[in-house]
Amino acid sequence: MNPNTKYKLDPKPSTAHPDAPKQPEPYIAGDPLIKAVNLAIFLRRPLLLEGEAGCGKTRLASDVAYDLGLPLYRWDIRSDTKAQEGLYKYDAILRLHDVQTREVNPDAKRNPSDATKYRDFGALGKAFLVDDRPAVVLIDEIDKADVDFPNDLLAVLDDPWSFEVRETQEPPIIAKHKPIVIITTNKEKSNLPAPFLRRCIYHFVEFPKDKLKEIVEIHYQVKKEKAPSANLIDAAVSRFTAIREAQNLFKSPGTSEFLDWLNALQKFDAQPYTAKELAKPEHPIPYRELLFKIKQDWQKYAAT
């Protein structure tokens, strides 16, 4: 938990939650992004982040949770994901199995007469149950779900912020604190339904090309590892930026690829790659396996 928080929460917890990230996130959030997060917290609206892969959308949730000492629950979206899965799953088959088992062994561990033993809360469900502070919920890559998913989600992320577990006949579960919901998408926002977009705070995350050196510095600080030399970092940033700005790639490498590449430049061979060689535009790009993930890009930057 960061004592000098950049994100605003009133009241701010005095201690970190057990489900909060244990380590700081090597993340540099610019002022516009920080303002968008704080607006989402203030208005209790989901924050929808759009941007290319590798620009840092997903890592923001960890940064917010660590900074404020809040629990973090992640929900990775698939093509077949339904909104209810974020609330809970109910294992009716296991309950039926236990009914049959108990007829043979009355001392079986689970008692099938207690339906609550067979429900498992999802990311949103867990967030609704936190009783002393809001939780951070990351809903990652919402555009993977079907067209009905975003609007189904709205039924939960709005007053009265409650849901029912129909199978257990429990009283409705009402969020004691409205969670801080961060949603990522790689598509244009027009691909998401208008009612959903109206409900969200929207922010486009630019690739942090001017902050790569800062990202490298904080990355190695958090990892507690020796950073490459300043000359090598400068040369790597310059060469990497030139590759991206050439705008001739099908898939531009992101921050994580850059950090992997820099690590290989420093440590993969017996001696670090020299900044002098790396700075030569005509010199083949070393370790291109780490930067290019599509055949056309791979071939374009093949060693000549």
Side-chain angles (χ1 to χ4, degrees):
M1 183 173 178
N2 185 354
N4 302 310
T5 56
K6 53 183 174 280
Y7 304 111
K8 297 177 181 179
L9 180 65
D10 187 23
K12 189 185 81 173
S14 58
T15 59
H17 190 276
D19 290 341
K22 302 300 186 290
Q23 298 294 329
E25 184 66 32
Y27 192 87
I28 303 292
D31 290 340
L33 180 54
I34 293 172
K35 181 180 288 186
V37 172
N38 287 329
L39 278 171
I41 295 172
F42 175 72
L43 296 172
R44 291 295 189 265
R45 289 183 178 271
L47 174 61
L48 177 64
L49 299 178
E50 184 184 344
E52 65 176 88
C55 68
K57 302 184 300 295
T58 300
R59 291 186 177 272
L60 175 67
S62 294
D63 190 48
V64 174
Y66 177 81
D67 194 63
L68 295 172
L70 305 180
L72 172 63
Y73 304 117
R74 177 169 176 164
W75 186 8
D76 294 308
I77 304 303
R78 310 179 308 275
S79 60
D80 60 347
T81 297
K82 303 301 179 186
Q84 180 183 299
E85 294 175 25
L87 300 172
Y88 73 94
K89 293 180 181 178
Y90 184 79
D91 197 336
I93 295 176
L94 179 59
R95 189 181 186 190
L96 177 60
H97 172 269
D98 286 351
V99 168
Q100 296 169 341
T101 301
R102 202 168 181 83
E103 291 175 357
V104 179
N105 179 14
D107 298 323
K109 184 177 179 180
R110 285 183 301 266
N111 184 353
S113 66
D114 183 359
T116 64
K117 300 292 186 184
Y118 302 91
R119 52 117 166 91
D120 183 28
F121 289 110
L124 278 172
K126 291 176 182 177
F128 276 42
L129 294 172
V130 179
D131 60 4
D132 65 338
R133 68 194 74 193
V136 177
V137 177
L138 171 64
I139 303 177
D140 200 27
E141 298 191 339
I142 193 173
D143 40 87
K144 285 185 177 180
D146 66 33
V147 293
D148 294 326
F149 178 84
N151 285 336
D152 291 343
L153 195 59
L154 283 183
V156 180
L157 303 182
D158 206 348
D159 292 331
W161 291 79
S162 68
F163 68 95
E164 295 182 3
V165 182
R166 296 186 302 272
E167 294 84 352
T168 64
Q169 299 182 345
E170 298 171 87
I173 295 173
I174 302 173
K176 296 178 175 65
H177 296 271
K178 295 177 182 178
I180 301 167
V181 180
I182 297 176
I183 304 170
T184 72
T185 175
N186 294 328
K187 291 186 177 182
E188 294 294 328
K189 61 178 180 176
S190 58
N191 290 335
L192 295 168
F196 177 79
L197 293 173
R198 284 196 297 269
R199 184 75 180 85
C200 294
I201 303 293
Y202 173 82
H203 186 84
F204 184 85
V205 182
E206 302 280 357
F207 183 81
K209 64 178 182 179
D210 297 327
K211 295 183 178 295
L212 286 175
K213 290 183 184 180
E214 292 180 65
I215 291 171
V216 170
E217 180 181 357
I218 193 172
H219 174 79
Y220 282 95
Q221 284 178 355
V222 170
K223 298 292 185 182
K224 297 180 180 179
E225 296 177 358
K226 182 181 178 181
S229 69
N231 288 340
L232 181 57
I233 293 173
D234 287 343
V237 168
S238 178
R239 191 72 184 270
F240 183 80
T241 302
I243 291 169
R244 283 185 53 89
E245 291 183 346
Q247 296 183 345
N248 60 355
L249 297 176
F250 286 86
K251 182 187 180 302
S252 296
T255 308
S256 61
E257 285 96 343
F258 172 72
L259 291 172
D260 286 343
W261 185 56
L262 181 60
N263 189 43
L265 291 171
Q266 180 194 20
K267 296 180 179 179
F268 184 72
D269 287 325
Q271 296 295 324
Y273 211 83
T274 66
K276 184 177 180 180
E277 285 183 307
L278 192 61
K280 295 178 181 178
E282 70 278 7
H283 192 82
I285 296 172
Y287 316 125
R288 61 193 172 107
E289 298 88 345
L290 300 175
L291 297 179
F292 309 120
K293 309 298 175 69
I294 293 179
K295 177 182 176 182
Q296 293 91 328
D297 297 337
W298 168 272
Q299 293 175 330
K300 191 173 297 180
Y301 282 91
T304 56

